[in-house]
Amino acid sequence: MVKYTLRRLLQAIPTFFGITLLTYMLMLAAPGDPVSLLTFGPSTTQAQRDALAAKLGVNDPAVIQYLRWLTGDDWMRRDTDGDGLSDQCIILACDADGDGVNEQPGDRRGIIRGDFGRSFTKPRNVVDMILERVPATFELGFISLAVGVLVGVPIGILAAVRRGSWFDSVTRIGAVVFSSIPIFWLGLILILLFGRVLFPDVSPNPFMMGGQCPPVLVGGCPPIQGRLVYLVLPVFVLASQGVAVFSRYMRASMLDVMQQDYMRTAYSKGLSGRTTWFKHGARNALIPIATFLGPSITGVLGGAVLTETIFSWPGLGRLGFESVVQQDFPVVMAFVIIGSLATILGYLLSDILYALIDPRIRFN
Amino acid sequence: MATRVTTTSVAKIGVPDEAHEHRKPDSLTSRALRRLRRDKLTLVALAVLSLLVLFALLAPAFETWLNISYTDVQTDKTFLPYGSFPHILGTDDLGRDHFARLLYGARVSLSIAALAAGLSLVIGVALGMVTGYYGGIIDDLNNWFIATLTSIPSLFLLLIVSALFIRTSTGSGVVPLILVLGLLGWTGTARLVRGETLSLRERDYVVAARSMGAGAARIMFIHILPNLFSVIIISLMIDIGSLILVEAALSFLGLGVKPPEPTWGNMLQAAREYFTRGVHLVIMPGVLIFTTVLCLYVIGDGLRDAFDPTSKD
């Protein structure tokens, strides 16, 4: 078990490496450069721009820039005598701009040590900006995923047990319908329905048309049980996709299980239909569902971008979208890499979970 | 295939079997077509989709017939409701005809999705077939690349790529969007085709062709590619459907096709800004996206059932 987990972790390393390489290449290929973004003021002289360019290393070869971004530059330029200037340099030149004075020692620790640099648009560390948005997205994503599983799985089981009944047809059509609805449009329609049609003159609206909690000056949001109404619409929008996916897979998996020999054995020894379906069938049919939990994290994160934008939810998705619009590259990079890490972790967990609950899988 | 084998073996034993003797051996495709003709749901979806495409193709004809235009700004006729003749579906925030814009939006949205799906299909089939056939190092490299691409949440990847390359492009952004969607969307098809190729290359007829001296290119194009037909056509339908959703989402966020070029997605973006004044503008673009995608998914599912060799007639 430990060996299997370790091997899967090792396999994740080249993937992570590929992701950093891909995002960095995209960033390099993008038009516009960070120096002109940072020194926008007309009073900036060319010499100041050159000094900043040397400090940021934008004229270095791409490989070195990538290495610097990935691993940091605090080990590339070090200050051993305490005069505030670098004197031990590897890979990078100590005096990069050629003015006779050595550059300041490196202070970046690189993304593998959790340093994503500073935002272009706000005077803040990217990591802090990301971390303060994670709880809101986690809250929305986790609840939506839970609703998706808790509603989708029973629907799938019942549909399979009553194959060909009206319940089966209705839920199957429902699943295709909900996976064809654009979720941002569903959000708009819900706002229209609850805001304009059902409660046009009620203020505040009982379903709260956006935000995570009532606006306050200090203290932040109350604990989750105090603001459940804010969650209803966004969770409905985000979970609708999950319900569609999980009910479909659960139905297929359950139909598969119902043809197994052990099910026939259970029937023939006189067990009731209910015991057979739920104790023998559903528990086995649930096993493959574990593998869909990982991929569904991607869906939740992508859906979060749209849902959070529509419902003004202060989460990671909205931060990412806003940073994309403002071309705040350090935040965008962090957003993509952290989203990918969550996805890799999700796949890893669902593989391990699968191996853990299915005794037929051997770890070799 | 199975039918043919039974017929000959029955004939050899000499027991006549009426049902089998008069039936021509069918190919998988003719059997699939026969099943499709009886699948009412798929036929309805096909009809609705064809109607939609026809309407989109006839957009200029509708313009002259109703004397409307999808570009004409009329500041005195903004936010007209449904049924304001000749603007049967009203007008938008600039007084442009909503019906005409929906039709032209259909042209743009459908062609982006279809062309991008075509592009990713070509890449996916080529890569899947080559890596599945040869295996080895190219297969490993390709698998690593696919694992990398699919580990990035696809909307995140599309967001940065379109922010970097589409927003900065001049023009409406249709061509860059097709390229971006096509170049990033091939992983699913490649995986599917690779899997199929892995099993096809061990079949007897491929081994036979190889033993007669057929080269790799001939085996791939003459013996493997035709057998991938059903896989390809099914994934094409599903891909076009999901690409319509993706294009709409990107344009809705303002990172896809730029106004005034209409697509269903950016029409919804504009409608969202004038939410209180033009409620009717929110409904139809979404209904059309939903209908089109639903039809494509239903057709995809119908084709899958029809081509499934294990399903009964």
Side-chain angles (χ1 to χ4, degrees):
Chain A
M1 188 64 222
V2 178
K3 245 173 139 180
Y4 176 76
T5 313
L6 276 178
R7 203 177 63 229
R8 284 292 282 107
L9 269 174
L10 279 178
Q11 281 170 352
I13 291 174
T15 312
F16 177 71
F17 176 72
I19 289 163
T20 60
L21 201 64
L22 196 73
T23 41
Y24 201 78
M25 286 193 320
L26 280 175
M27 239 10 97
L28 279 183
D33 70 309
V35 175
S36 47
L37 265 171
L38 285 171
T39 59
F40 195 60
S43 58
T44 319
T45 62
Q46 191 55 42
Q48 282 170 314
R49 286 212 178 94
D50 291 345
L52 186 67
K55 186 175 184 303
L56 291 174
V58 290
N59 298 323
D60 293 338
V63 184
I64 291 179
Q65 287 192 48
Y66 170 69
L67 203 65
R68 217 174 141 167
W69 173 74
L70 190 70
T71 62
D73 57 3
D74 57 349
W75 58 277
M76 292 181 177
R77 276 199 192 115
R78 280 188 306 170
D79 174 22
T80 49
D81 51 9
D83 62 352
L85 297 173
S86 56
D87 43 47
Q88 273 194 355
C89 305
I90 33 174
I91 301 174
L92 296 173
C94 277
D95 180 15
D97 50 0
D99 59 358
V101 183
N102 285 354
E103 308 300 327
Q104 287 168 351
D107 54 359
R108 292 286 303 274
R109 296 186 303 128
I111 61 156
I112 51 168
R113 283 181 285 165
D115 179 6
F116 284 92
R118 296 173 74 80
S119 159
F120 282 172
T121 54
K122 294 188 184 72
R124 301 192 60 192
N125 271 331
V126 173
V127 177
D128 299 338
M129 291 170 72
I130 298 264
L131 285 183
E132 74 181 19
R133 296 295 193 105
V134 168
T137 293
F138 186 77
E139 183 182 300
L140 184 62
F142 184 78
I143 296 177
S144 305
L145 201 58
V147 170
V149 173
L150 291 179
V151 177
V153 164
I155 288 179
I157 295 176
L158 280 179
V161 167
R162 301 250 173 264
R163 185 183 189 177
S165 69
W166 64 267
F167 182 79
D168 186 25
S169 319
V170 168
T171 50
R172 275 175 79 194
I173 294 170
V176 189
V177 164
F178 272 100
S179 42
S180 321
I181 294 183
I183 64 169
F184 55 92
W185 184 65
L186 185 62
L188 289 181
I189 292 295
L190 286 180
I191 292 178
L192 200 64
L193 184 68
F194 285 98
R196 256 182 93 98
V197 181
L198 293 181
F199 309 101
D201 307 310
V202 189
S203 179
N205 190 287
F207 284 98
M208 304 300 166
M209 295 292 107
Q212 192 188 10
C213 57
V216 281
L217 288 176
V218 282
C221 280
I224 188 161
Q225 65 270 20
R227 49 188 167 80
L228 287 177
V229 280
Y230 285 90
L231 277 163
V232 176
L233 296 186
V235 165
F236 181 86
V237 167
L238 209 46
S240 66
Q241 311 278 305
V243 173
V245 171
F246 283 112
S247 68
R248 228 152 76 170
Y249 284 127
M250 193 62 203
R251 178 179 180 275
S253 171
M254 187 74 189
L255 282 178
D256 205 37
V257 164
M258 295 209 327
Q259 289 173 352
Q260 300 291 320
D261 290 342
Y262 57 76
M263 291 294 278
R264 207 175 327 133
T265 311
Y267 278 126
S268 56
K269 74 180 180 185
L271 291 181
S272 71
R274 190 167 298 200
T275 320
T276 330
W277 295 326
F278 295 105
K279 274 187 99 169
H280 296 243
R283 286 171 65 171
N284 281 302
L286 265 173
I287 294 173
I289 297 299
T291 48
F292 293 113
L293 281 173
S296 59
I297 286 184
T298 334
V300 166
L301 283 174
V305 175
L306 293 161
T307 317
E308 288 175 3
T309 308
I310 289 171
F311 290 103
S312 313
W313 193 263
L316 203 56
R318 210 173 108 212
L319 174 73
F321 169 63
E322 285 164 0
S323 315
V324 161
V325 172
Q326 295 167 352
Q327 309 239 314
D328 194 343
F329 294 141
V331 183
V332 174
M333 307 273 273
F335 166 70
V336 172
I337 284 170
I338 287 172
S340 314
L341 268 181
T343 310
I344 296 180
L345 213 67
Y347 275 95
L348 199 75
L349 281 179
S350 69
D351 278 4
I352 293 172
L353 193 68
Y354 187 50
L356 211 63
I357 57 179
D358 192 345
R360 286 168 295 191
I361 291 182
R362 297 273 169 269
F363 304 110
N364 46 44
Chain B
M1 204 66 187
T3 340
R4 194 189 268 164
V5 171
T6 357
T7 326
T8 43
S9 55
V10 164
K12 257 183 201 159
I13 302 166
V15 184
D17 185 327
E18 291 297 315
H20 280 168
E21 230 163 13
H22 296 292
R23 192 140 140 209
K24 264 202 313 198
D26 330 302
S27 70
L28 194 59
T29 319
S30 64
R31 259 173 57 183
L33 281 176
R34 202 171 56 233
R35 278 188 205 138
L36 268 183
R37 274 202 293 274
R38 283 201 304 260
D39 185 353
K40 287 205 188 73
L41 188 63
T42 309
L43 288 182
V44 169
L46 210 60
V48 172
L49 193 67
S50 317
L51 201 69
L52 235 137
V53 173
L54 191 72
F55 265 62
L57 287 176
L58 290 177
F62 276 108
E63 276 192 325
T64 40
W65 179 47
L66 290 168
N67 193 23
I68 50 176
S69 151
Y70 82 108
T71 47
D72 268 3
V73 175
Q74 308 170 78
T75 42
D76 54 332
K77 286 184 180 169
T78 56
F79 298 115
L80 290 182
Y82 288 155
S84 333
F85 196 78
H87 307 292
I88 44 175
L89 290 181
T91 56
D92 67 2
D93 52 304
L94 295 174
R96 295 172 297 193
D97 185 79
H98 192 48
F99 178 63
R101 286 186 72 73
L102 283 170
L103 292 185
Y104 277 92
R107 290 166 87 120
V108 180
S109 295
L110 288 174
S111 30
I112 289 178
L115 289 174
L119 178 60
S120 63
L121 192 78
V122 171
I123 301 175
V125 170
L127 274 178
M129 217 157 59
V130 168
T131 54
Y133 187 78
Y134 287 107
I137 184 96
I138 33 167
D139 192 29
D140 292 340
L141 259 179
N142 191 50
N143 284 341
W144 168 73
F145 193 66
I146 290 180
T148 302
L149 263 188
T150 46
S151 295
I152 306 178
S154 57
L155 196 63
F156 284 27
L157 189 61
L158 285 168
L159 274 185
I160 54 166
V161 174
S162 57
L164 294 177
F165 300 104
I166 296 175
R167 272 167 60 93
T168 49
S169 71
T170 50
S172 62
V174 170
V175 176
L177 192 60
I178 294 173
L179 290 177
V180 164
L181 292 176
L183 290 176
L184 293 177
W186 51 269
T187 51
T189 316
R191 255 187 194 157
L192 212 64
V193 168
R194 174 183 171 273
E196 284 289 304
T197 309
L198 272 180
S199 89
L200 286 174
R201 72 167 185 192
E202 303 301 331
R203 297 282 166 88
D204 288 343
Y205 57 83
V206 174
V207 177
R210 201 179 294 130
S211 70
M212 284 187 271
R218 186 183 165 83
I219 290 176
M220 277 192 261
F221 279 100
I222 308 281
H223 299 286
I224 292 183
L225 192 59
N227 285 300
L228 292 172
F229 177 73
S230 61
V231 177
I232 290 175
I233 189 105
I234 293 163
S235 75
L236 187 67
M237 291 296 145
I238 307 282
D239 278 359
I240 296 179
S242 30
L243 280 170
I244 288 178
L245 286 178
V246 169
E247 182 275 324
L250 280 179
S251 297
F252 175 74
L253 290 173
L255 299 169
V257 177
K258 295 174 225 170
E261 187 78 48
T263 76
W264 293 333
N266 72 20
M267 288 175 74
L268 276 174
Q269 184 204 14
R272 187 187 167 212
E273 282 171 36
Y274 300 100
F275 210 67
T276 44
R277 295 181 61 197
V279 179
H280 64 289
L281 299 173
V282 181
I283 313 288
M284 278 317 281
V287 169
L288 286 180
I289 297 173
F290 163 64
T291 316
T292 315
V293 176
L294 185 64
C295 286
L296 283 161
Y297 283 175
V298 168
I299 295 170
D301 268 359
L303 285 172
R304 183 176 295 138
D305 287 346
F307 276 107
D308 186 354
T310 57
S311 66
K312 295 181 196 81
D313 270 315

